[in-house]
Amino acid sequence: STTLLVAGALAVGAVAATHAAGNGVARLVGSAALGAALAGVGYAKQSLDASGALAAIGVGFGSIYSDARFGSALAVFFFASSAATRVRSDVKVKIDEHFKAGGGRDWVQVAANGFVPTIIAMVYALIAVPSANVSLQGALASAFLGYYSCCCGDTFASELGVLSKSRPRLIIDPMRSVEPGTNGGVTALGWSASAAGGAAVGAAFVVGRAAVVALSGGDFLAACIQDAIIVVYGAIAGVFGSFVDSMLGATVQYSGFCSVKDKVVSKPGPTVSRISGCEFLSNSAVNLVSASITAVVAAMYVSI
């Protein structure tokens, strides 16, 4: 986990250096190289499988090339989420039917987390000219921040909240306690983790831009102070996104307890007792919808 966090910090610096170079070719080549490097590290660390690594190359390039803040946010989300997945994996394997050591995310999971924000990033890059509509640029940046803050907040909540010593409460019926791993089950630790995950993405936005300023001869600390409110926006988006995700999880995503596997499962069966929800959306689909909603809300109410 420590190695992944260090790798994330180094990635932010590399992204900033690519943009501070002030050369279009260097930015293009650097973004492609960093996108491939992130995917390669993810595959080597088993955070991504082969299909996930291939998908991550495109996601990485699009985000890194478009803006240093976007590339930094992606890097922090990826490495911090991968690190969170590794925390107490011995406990999670007994709770989560889909748990894989290291994460092992496939292309579907990468697309659910990365396709929409990559499109947002590329649109931002296309309109990033002196005569561009500043309010539109700000809305797109906010949407990107909101999307990944939701993704990181939800991942932190899932990976760390499940370790809570108190039993989860079903978000649509707070008086009812449910099994750990139940979709829509929430804990105080989970909400705190959501805020931390969102704040981490917000901090990446701040540090990414400040690093470019510093590498261009400016004041790093002053740039961080100027943008510090973005960390708060990220934390709010992380909690809001987890709320939406939990509401969807409790209603349109199936959760049942399997007496044979002795854990919560996402499909009904003869040995499964229903806990909540209906079999309508998969976990990846819930992530996509909740993050998209958070991105739209962020774009409507915040401009960064």
Side-chain angles (χ1 to χ4, degrees):
S1 296
T2 301
T3 301
L4 288 168
L5 293 177
V6 172
L10 292 174
V12 170
V15 169
T18 296
H19 283 265
N23 182 294
V25 175
R27 178 177 168 186
L28 183 67
V29 174
S31 298
L34 286 172
L38 288 177
V41 171
Y43 181 72
K45 288 290 185 179
Q46 297 183 320
S47 297
L48 300 169
D49 68 10
S51 68
L54 288 173
I57 292 174
V59 170
F61 170 75
S63 299
I64 294 168
Y65 178 81
S66 62
D67 191 270
R69 297 173 300 170
F70 296 179
S72 298
L74 171 64
V76 166
F77 162 66
F78 173 69
F79 286 113
S81 295
S82 297
T85 300
R86 285 171 161 74
V87 176
R88 295 301 307 276
S89 58
D90 59 319
V91 174
K92 294 172 187 173
V93 73
K94 300 175 184 177
I95 298 173
D96 186 353
E97 65 168 331
H98 299 300
F99 181 79
K100 301 175 186 177
R105 293 171 174 82
D106 59 19
W107 75 269
V108 175
Q109 293 168 300
V110 172
N113 286 328
F115 178 74
V116 170
T118 301
I119 297 300
I120 293 171
M122 294 309 294
V123 172
Y124 181 93
L126 287 172
I127 68 169
V129 294
S131 60
N133 185 317
V134 176
S135 61
L136 176 58
Q137 284 184 301
L140 288 170
S142 295
F144 191 96
L145 171 70
Y147 198 101
Y148 272 122
S149 292
C150 171
C151 291
C152 198
D154 177 59
T155 300
F156 272 37
S158 299
E159 299 294 346
L160 303 178
V162 74
L163 303 176
S164 175
K165 294 182 179 179
S166 60
R167 285 176 64 85
R169 298 279 177 175
L170 194 63
I171 193 167
I172 59 173
D173 185 4
M175 299 303 292
R176 179 186 173 192
S177 64
V178 291
E179 292 289 336
T182 299
N183 297 307
V186 298
T187 63
L189 177 60
W191 289 122
S192 299
S194 295
V201 172
F205 249 65
V206 174
V207 174
R209 190 187 81 85
V212 173
V213 170
L215 290 171
S216 302
D219 189 325
F220 176 82
L221 182 58
C224 286
I225 294 173
Q226 180 182 348
D227 292 340
I229 189 64
I230 295 176
V231 178
V232 178
Y233 293 154
I236 293 172
V239 173
F240 176 80
S242 288
F243 172 78
V244 175
D245 187 280
S246 296
M247 290 296 292
L248 292 172
T251 53
V252 294
Q253 188 178 2
Y254 183 86
S255 292
F257 188 81
C258 179
S259 58
V260 175
K261 295 181 178 180
D262 195 31
K263 63 179 66 175
V264 174
V265 296
S266 57
K267 299 283 185 181
T271 61
V272 177
S273 301
R274 178 181 175 275
I275 298 174
S276 62
C278 62
E279 194 180 3
F280 183 65
L281 293 180
S282 67
N283 189 63
S284 292
V286 167
N287 291 341
L288 174 63
V289 173
S290 59
S292 296
I293 290 173
T294 305
V296 171
V297 172
M300 290 173 60
Y301 293 102
V302 178
S303 181
I304 58 177

Short mmCIF file of all heavy atoms in Angstrom, two decimals, residues 86-136:
data_model
loop_
_atom_site.label_atom_id
_atom_site.label_comp_id
_atom_site.label_asym_id
_atom_site.label_seq_id
_atom_site.Cartn_x
_atom_site.Cartn_y
_atom_site.Cartn_z
N ARG A 86 -6.08 -3.07 -0.66
CA ARG A 86 -5.15 -4.00 -0.02
C ARG A 86 -5.25 -4.00 1.52
O ARG A 86 -4.70 -4.89 2.18
CB ARG A 86 -3.71 -3.67 -0.43
CG ARG A 86 -3.40 -4.11 -1.86
CD ARG A 86 -2.04 -3.58 -2.31
NE ARG A 86 -1.51 -4.31 -3.45
CZ ARG A 86 -1.96 -4.19 -4.69
NH1 ARG A 86 -2.96 -3.36 -4.95
NH2 ARG A 86 -1.45 -4.90 -5.68
N VAL A 87 -5.93 -3.01 2.08
CA VAL A 87 -6.04 -2.93 3.54
C VAL A 87 -6.92 -4.07 4.06
O VAL A 87 -8.07 -4.22 3.64
CB VAL A 87 -6.62 -1.57 3.97
CG1 VAL A 87 -6.81 -1.53 5.48
CG2 VAL A 87 -5.71 -0.44 3.52
N ARG A 88 -6.39 -4.88 4.93
CA ARG A 88 -7.08 -6.01 5.56
C ARG A 88 -7.77 -6.90 4.53
O ARG A 88 -8.95 -7.25 4.68
CB ARG A 88 -8.09 -5.51 6.59
CG ARG A 88 -7.49 -4.78 7.78
CD ARG A 88 -6.50 -5.66 8.56
NE ARG A 88 -7.04 -6.95 8.96
CZ ARG A 88 -7.76 -7.13 10.07
NH1 ARG A 88 -8.01 -6.11 10.87
NH2 ARG A 88 -8.21 -8.34 10.38
N SER A 89 -7.04 -7.28 3.51
CA SER A 89 -7.62 -8.15 2.48
C SER A 89 -8.05 -9.50 3.04
O SER A 89 -8.94 -10.15 2.51
CB SER A 89 -6.61 -8.35 1.34
OG SER A 89 -5.40 -8.90 1.83
N ASP A 90 -7.41 -9.92 4.16
CA ASP A 90 -7.78 -11.19 4.78
C ASP A 90 -9.21 -11.17 5.31
O ASP A 90 -9.89 -12.20 5.35
CB ASP A 90 -6.80 -11.51 5.91
CG ASP A 90 -6.77 -10.43 6.99
OD1 ASP A 90 -6.80 -9.23 6.63
OD2 ASP A 90 -6.71 -10.77 8.18
N VAL A 91 -9.67 -9.98 5.72
CA VAL A 91 -11.04 -9.83 6.21
C VAL A 91 -12.01 -9.73 5.03
O VAL A 91 -13.08 -10.35 5.01
CB VAL A 91 -11.16 -8.58 7.11
CG1 VAL A 91 -12.62 -8.34 7.49
CG2 VAL A 91 -10.30 -8.73 8.34
N LYS A 92 -11.63 -8.95 4.03
CA LYS A 92 -12.52 -8.71 2.89
C LYS A 92 -12.85 -9.95 2.08
O LYS A 92 -13.95 -10.10 1.56
CB LYS A 92 -11.90 -7.64 1.98
CG LYS A 92 -11.80 -6.27 2.62
CD LYS A 92 -11.00 -5.32 1.76
CE LYS A 92 -10.74 -4.02 2.48
NZ LYS A 92 -9.83 -3.13 1.73
N VAL A 93 -11.89 -10.86 1.97
CA VAL A 93 -12.11 -12.07 1.19
C VAL A 93 -13.22 -12.94 1.81
O VAL A 93 -13.87 -13.73 1.12
CB VAL A 93 -10.80 -12.89 1.06
CG1 VAL A 93 -10.44 -13.56 2.37
CG2 VAL A 93 -10.91 -13.89 -0.08
N LYS A 94 -13.46 -12.76 3.11
CA LYS A 94 -14.52 -13.51 3.79
C LYS A 94 -15.88 -12.83 3.66
O LYS A 94 -16.91 -13.44 3.96
CB LYS A 94 -14.18 -13.65 5.28
CG LYS A 94 -12.87 -14.39 5.55
CD LYS A 94 -12.55 -14.38 7.03
CE LYS A 94 -11.20 -15.04 7.31
NZ LYS A 94 -10.83 -14.98 8.76
N ILE A 95 -15.87 -11.57 3.20
CA ILE A 95 -17.11 -10.79 3.14
C ILE A 95 -17.58 -10.57 1.71
O ILE A 95 -18.78 -10.69 1.41
CB ILE A 95 -16.90 -9.42 3.84
CG1 ILE A 95 -16.58 -9.63 5.32
CG2 ILE A 95 -18.13 -8.54 3.67
CD1 ILE A 95 -16.19 -8.35 6.03
N ASP A 96 -16.65 -10.23 0.83
CA ASP A 96 -16.97 -9.83 -0.54
C ASP A 96 -16.82 -11.01 -1.51
O ASP A 96 -15.73 -11.55 -1.68
CB ASP A 96 -16.05 -8.68 -0.97
CG ASP A 96 -16.41 -8.10 -2.32
OD1 ASP A 96 -17.29 -8.66 -3.01
OD2 ASP A 96 -15.80 -7.09 -2.70
N GLU A 97 -17.92 -11.40 -2.18
CA GLU A 97 -17.87 -12.55 -3.09
C GLU A 97 -16.99 -12.27 -4.32
O GLU A 97 -16.49 -13.18 -4.96
CB GLU A 97 -19.28 -12.91 -3.57
CG GLU A 97 -19.96 -11.84 -4.41
CD GLU A 97 -21.21 -12.35 -5.10
OE1 GLU A 97 -21.30 -13.55 -5.42
OE2 GLU A 97 -22.12 -11.51 -5.34
N HIS A 98 -16.83 -10.98 -4.66
CA HIS A 98 -16.06 -10.62 -5.85
C HIS A 98 -14.65 -10.14 -5.51
O HIS A 98 -13.95 -9.65 -6.39
CB HIS A 98 -16.78 -9.52 -6.64
CG HIS A 98 -18.14 -9.92 -7.12
ND1 HIS A 98 -18.35 -10.98 -7.96
CD2 HIS A 98 -19.37 -9.40 -6.85
CE1 HIS A 98 -19.64 -11.11 -8.22
NE2 HIS A 98 -20.28 -10.17 -7.55
N PHE A 99 -14.24 -10.28 -4.26
CA PHE A 99 -12.95 -9.74 -3.87
C PHE A 99 -11.81 -10.45 -4.58
O PHE A 99 -11.76 -11.67 -4.69
CB PHE A 99 -12.74 -9.86 -2.35
CG PHE A 99 -11.42 -9.29 -1.89
CD1 PHE A 99 -11.26 -7.92 -1.74
CD2 PHE A 99 -10.34 -10.13 -1.65
CE1 PHE A 99 -10.04 -7.39 -1.33
CE2 PHE A 99 -9.13 -9.60 -1.24
CZ PHE A 99 -8.98 -8.23 -1.08
N LYS A 100 -10.86 -9.64 -5.09
CA LYS A 100 -9.65 -10.16 -5.71
C LYS A 100 -8.46 -9.51 -5.03
O LYS A 100 -8.47 -8.30 -4.80
CB LYS A 100 -9.59 -9.83 -7.21
CG LYS A 100 -10.75 -10.38 -8.03
CD LYS A 100 -10.64 -9.89 -9.47
CE LYS A 100 -11.84 -10.28 -10.29
NZ LYS A 100 -11.76 -9.73 -11.68
N ALA A 101 -7.47 -10.29 -4.72
CA ALA A 101 -6.26 -9.73 -4.09
C ALA A 101 -5.66 -8.67 -5.01
O ALA A 101 -5.38 -8.93 -6.17
CB ALA A 101 -5.25 -10.83 -3.83
N GLY A 102 -5.51 -7.47 -4.47
CA GLY A 102 -4.95 -6.38 -5.27
C GLY A 102 -5.98 -5.59 -6.04
O GLY A 102 -5.75 -4.47 -6.44
N GLY A 103 -7.15 -6.17 -6.26
CA GLY A 103 -8.21 -5.47 -6.98
C GLY A 103 -8.56 -6.16 -8.28
O GLY A 103 -9.70 -6.56 -8.51
N GLY A 104 -7.57 -6.34 -9.17
CA GLY A 104 -7.79 -7.04 -10.43
C GLY A 104 -8.93 -6.50 -11.25
O GLY A 104 -9.70 -7.27 -11.83
N ARG A 105 -9.06 -5.18 -11.37
CA ARG A 105 -10.19 -4.58 -12.08
C ARG A 105 -10.10 -4.85 -13.58
O ARG A 105 -9.05 -4.71 -14.18
CB ARG A 105 -10.25 -3.08 -11.80
CG ARG A 105 -10.59 -2.75 -10.36
CD ARG A 105 -10.44 -1.27 -10.03
NE ARG A 105 -10.91 -0.97 -8.68
CZ ARG A 105 -10.19 -1.15 -7.58
NH1 ARG A 105 -8.96 -1.61 -7.67
NH2 ARG A 105 -10.69 -0.86 -6.39
N ASP A 106 -11.24 -5.21 -14.19
CA ASP A 106 -11.26 -5.49 -15.61
C ASP A 106 -11.70 -4.26 -16.39
O ASP A 106 -11.91 -3.18 -15.82
CB ASP A 106 -12.17 -6.68 -15.92
CG ASP A 106 -13.61 -6.45 -15.47
OD1 ASP A 106 -14.01 -5.29 -15.25
OD2 ASP A 106 -14.35 -7.45 -15.35
N TRP A 107 -11.83 -4.40 -17.72
CA TRP A 107 -12.13 -3.24 -18.57
C TRP A 107 -13.50 -2.65 -18.27
O TRP A 107 -13.70 -1.44 -18.41
CB TRP A 107 -12.03 -3.63 -20.05
CG TRP A 107 -13.18 -4.47 -20.56
CD1 TRP A 107 -13.26 -5.83 -20.57
CD2 TRP A 107 -14.41 -3.99 -21.12
NE1 TRP A 107 -14.46 -6.23 -21.10
CE2 TRP A 107 -15.18 -5.13 -21.45
CE3 TRP A 107 -14.93 -2.72 -21.38
CZ2 TRP A 107 -16.45 -5.03 -22.02
CZ3 TRP A 107 -16.20 -2.61 -21.94
CH2 TRP A 107 -16.94 -3.77 -22.26
N VAL A 108 -14.45 -3.48 -17.82
CA VAL A 108 -15.78 -2.98 -17.49
C VAL A 108 -15.69 -2.03 -16.30
O VAL A 108 -16.29 -0.94 -16.29
CB VAL A 108 -16.75 -4.14 -17.18
CG1 VAL A 108 -18.09 -3.60 -16.70
CG2 VAL A 108 -16.95 -5.02 -18.41
N GLN A 109 -14.95 -2.42 -15.28
CA GLN A 109 -14.79 -1.58 -14.11
C GLN A 109 -14.01 -0.31 -14.44
O GLN A 109 -14.34 0.77 -13.94
CB GLN A 109 -14.08 -2.37 -13.00
CG GLN A 109 -14.92 -3.51 -12.44
CD GLN A 109 -14.10 -4.45 -11.57
OE1 GLN A 109 -13.14 -5.06 -12.02
NE2 GLN A 109 -14.49 -4.57 -10.32
N VAL A 110 -12.99 -0.44 -15.29
CA VAL A 110 -12.22 0.73 -15.71
C VAL A 110 -13.11 1.69 -16.49
O VAL A 110 -13.07 2.91 -16.29
CB VAL A 110 -11.00 0.31 -16.56
CG1 VAL A 110 -10.32 1.55 -17.16
CG2 VAL A 110 -10.01 -0.47 -15.70
N ALA A 111 -13.95 1.15 -17.38
CA ALA A 111 -14.85 1.98 -18.17
C ALA A 111 -15.88 2.67 -17.28
O ALA A 111 -16.20 3.85 -17.48
CB ALA A 111 -15.54 1.14 -19.24
N ALA A 112 -16.41 1.95 -16.30
CA ALA A 112 -17.40 2.53 -15.40
C ALA A 112 -16.83 3.72 -14.64
O ALA A 112 -17.51 4.72 -14.40
CB ALA A 112 -17.91 1.48 -14.42
N ASN A 113 -15.56 3.62 -14.27
CA ASN A 113 -14.91 4.70 -13.53
C ASN A 113 -14.27 5.73 -14.44
O ASN A 113 -14.11 6.89 -14.04
CB ASN A 113 -13.82 4.13 -12.60
CG ASN A 113 -14.40 3.44 -11.39
OD1 ASN A 113 -15.45 3.80 -10.90
ND2 ASN A 113 -13.71 2.41 -10.92
N GLY A 114 -13.89 5.34 -15.66
CA GLY A 114 -13.07 6.23 -16.47
C GLY A 114 -13.61 6.73 -17.79
O GLY A 114 -13.10 7.73 -18.31
N PHE A 115 -14.61 6.08 -18.37
CA PHE A 115 -15.06 6.49 -19.71
C PHE A 115 -15.65 7.90 -19.72
O PHE A 115 -15.24 8.75 -20.51
CB PHE A 115 -16.08 5.49 -20.25
CG PHE A 115 -16.62 5.86 -21.61
CD1 PHE A 115 -15.84 5.71 -22.74
CD2 PHE A 115 -17.90 6.39 -21.74
CE1 PHE A 115 -16.33 6.06 -24.00
CE2 PHE A 115 -18.40 6.74 -22.99
CZ PHE A 115 -17.61 6.58 -24.12
N VAL A 116 -16.61 8.15 -18.84
CA VAL A 116 -17.29 9.46 -18.82
C VAL A 116 -16.30 10.59 -18.52
O VAL A 116 -16.27 11.59 -19.24
CB VAL A 116 -18.46 9.46 -17.82
CG1 VAL A 116 -19.00 10.88 -17.62
CG2 VAL A 116 -19.57 8.55 -18.32
N PRO A 117 -15.48 10.49 -17.46
CA PRO A 117 -14.55 11.60 -17.20
C PRO A 117 -13.50 11.79 -18.30
O PRO A 117 -13.02 12.90 -18.50
CB PRO A 117 -13.89 11.22 -15.87
CG PRO A 117 -14.11 9.76 -15.72
CD PRO A 117 -15.41 9.47 -16.39
N THR A 118 -13.16 10.72 -19.02
CA THR A 118 -12.22 10.87 -20.12
C THR A 118 -12.85 11.69 -21.24
O THR A 118 -12.19 12.54 -21.86
CB THR A 118 -11.77 9.49 -20.67
OG1 THR A 118 -11.16 8.76 -19.60
CG2 THR A 118 -10.76 9.66 -21.79
N ILE A 119 -14.12 11.45 -21.52
CA ILE A 119 -14.84 12.26 -22.51
C ILE A 119 -14.88 13.72 -22.06
O ILE A 119 -14.65 14.65 -22.85
CB ILE A 119 -16.26 11.73 -22.73
CG1 ILE A 119 -16.23 10.32 -23.31
CG2 ILE A 119 -17.05 12.66 -23.65
CD1 ILE A 119 -15.52 10.20 -24.64
N ILE A 120 -15.18 13.94 -20.77
CA ILE A 120 -15.21 15.29 -20.22
C ILE A 120 -13.85 15.95 -20.41
O ILE A 120 -13.75 17.12 -20.83
CB ILE A 120 -15.58 15.27 -18.72
CG1 ILE A 120 -17.02 14.80 -18.53
CG2 ILE A 120 -15.37 16.65 -18.08
CD1 ILE A 120 -17.39 14.54 -17.07
N ALA A 121 -12.79 15.20 -20.12
CA ALA A 121 -11.43 15.73 -20.23
C ALA A 121 -11.09 16.11 -21.67
O ALA A 121 -10.49 17.16 -21.93
CB ALA A 121 -10.43 14.71 -19.71
N MET A 122 -11.45 15.27 -22.61
CA MET A 122 -11.12 15.54 -24.00
C MET A 122 -11.90 16.74 -24.54
O MET A 122 -11.37 17.54 -25.33
CB MET A 122 -11.39 14.30 -24.86
CG MET A 122 -10.49 13.12 -24.53
SD MET A 122 -8.71 13.53 -24.50
CE MET A 122 -8.42 13.94 -26.22
N VAL A 123 -13.15 16.88 -24.13
CA VAL A 123 -13.93 18.07 -24.52
C VAL A 123 -13.27 19.32 -23.95
O VAL A 123 -13.14 20.35 -24.62
CB VAL A 123 -15.39 17.95 -24.04
CG1 VAL A 123 -16.14 19.27 -24.28
CG2 VAL A 123 -16.10 16.81 -24.76
N TYR A 124 -12.84 19.22 -22.68
CA TYR A 124 -12.14 20.34 -22.04
C TYR A 124 -10.89 20.72 -22.84
O TYR A 124 -10.62 21.90 -23.07
CB TYR A 124 -11.76 19.95 -20.62
CG TYR A 124 -11.05 21.04 -19.84
CD1 TYR A 124 -11.77 21.90 -19.03
CD2 TYR A 124 -9.67 21.19 -19.92
CE1 TYR A 124 -11.13 22.91 -18.31
CE2 TYR A 124 -9.02 22.19 -19.21
CZ TYR A 124 -9.75 23.04 -18.40
OH TYR A 124 -9.11 24.04 -17.70
N ALA A 125 -10.13 19.70 -23.27
CA ALA A 125 -8.90 19.96 -24.02
C ALA A 125 -9.21 20.62 -25.37
O ALA A 125 -8.47 21.50 -25.81
CB ALA A 125 -8.15 18.65 -24.24
N LEU A 126 -10.29 20.22 -25.99
CA LEU A 126 -10.65 20.76 -27.31
C LEU A 126 -11.05 22.23 -27.24
O LEU A 126 -10.83 22.98 -28.21
CB LEU A 126 -11.80 19.94 -27.92
CG LEU A 126 -11.43 18.54 -28.42
CD1 LEU A 126 -12.68 17.78 -28.82
CD2 LEU A 126 -10.46 18.63 -29.60
N ILE A 127 -11.64 22.64 -26.11
CA ILE A 127 -12.10 24.03 -26.00
C ILE A 127 -11.13 24.90 -25.21
O ILE A 127 -11.40 26.08 -24.98
CB ILE A 127 -13.50 24.12 -25.37
CG1 ILE A 127 -13.46 23.71 -23.90
CG2 ILE A 127 -14.50 23.28 -26.14
CD1 ILE A 127 -14.72 24.03 -23.14
N ALA A 128 -10.00 24.31 -24.77
CA ALA A 128 -9.03 25.06 -23.95
C ALA A 128 -8.20 25.99 -24.82
O ALA A 128 -7.01 25.75 -25.06
CB ALA A 128 -8.14 24.10 -23.18
N VAL A 129 -8.82 27.05 -25.31
CA VAL A 129 -8.15 28.08 -26.10
C VAL A 129 -8.45 29.43 -25.46
O VAL A 129 -9.40 29.57 -24.69
CB VAL A 129 -8.64 28.07 -27.57
CG1 VAL A 129 -8.23 26.76 -28.24
CG2 VAL A 129 -10.15 28.25 -27.64
N PRO A 130 -7.64 30.44 -25.74
CA PRO A 130 -7.82 31.76 -25.11
C PRO A 130 -9.24 32.32 -25.23
O PRO A 130 -9.70 33.01 -24.34
CB PRO A 130 -6.80 32.64 -25.84
CG PRO A 130 -5.72 31.69 -26.23
CD PRO A 130 -6.43 30.41 -26.60
N SER A 131 -9.91 32.03 -26.36
CA SER A 131 -11.25 32.59 -26.57
C SER A 131 -12.36 31.71 -26.03
O SER A 131 -13.54 31.96 -26.26
CB SER A 131 -11.48 32.80 -28.08
OG SER A 131 -11.36 31.56 -28.77
N ALA A 132 -12.00 30.63 -25.31
CA ALA A 132 -12.99 29.68 -24.83
C ALA A 132 -13.91 30.29 -23.76
O ALA A 132 -13.56 31.25 -23.08
CB ALA A 132 -12.30 28.45 -24.25
N ASN A 133 -15.08 29.71 -23.65
CA ASN A 133 -16.05 30.10 -22.63
C ASN A 133 -15.53 29.66 -21.26
O ASN A 133 -15.46 28.47 -20.97
CB ASN A 133 -17.40 29.44 -22.94
CG ASN A 133 -18.50 29.91 -22.00
OD1 ASN A 133 -18.29 30.03 -20.80
ND2 ASN A 133 -19.67 30.15 -22.55
N VAL A 134 -15.15 30.61 -20.44
CA VAL A 134 -14.55 30.30 -19.14
C VAL A 134 -15.52 29.54 -18.24
O VAL A 134 -15.13 28.61 -17.53
CB VAL A 134 -14.07 31.60 -18.44
CG1 VAL A 134 -13.55 31.27 -17.05
CG2 VAL A 134 -13.00 32.28 -19.27
N SER A 135 -16.79 29.92 -18.26
CA SER A 135 -17.77 29.25 -17.40
C SER A 135 -17.96 27.79 -17.83
O SER A 135 -18.14 26.90 -16.98
CB SER A 135 -19.11 29.98 -17.44
OG SER A 135 -19.65 30.01 -18.75
N LEU A 136 -17.90 27.52 -19.14
CA LEU A 136 -18.02 26.14 -19.62
C LEU A 136 -16.81 25.33 -19.19
O LEU A 136 -16.93 24.18 -18.76
CB LEU A 136 -18.17 26.11 -21.14
CG LEU A 136 -18.21 24.72 -21.80
CD1 LEU A 136 -19.35 23.90 -21.22
CD2 LEU A 136 -18.34 24.84 -23.31
#
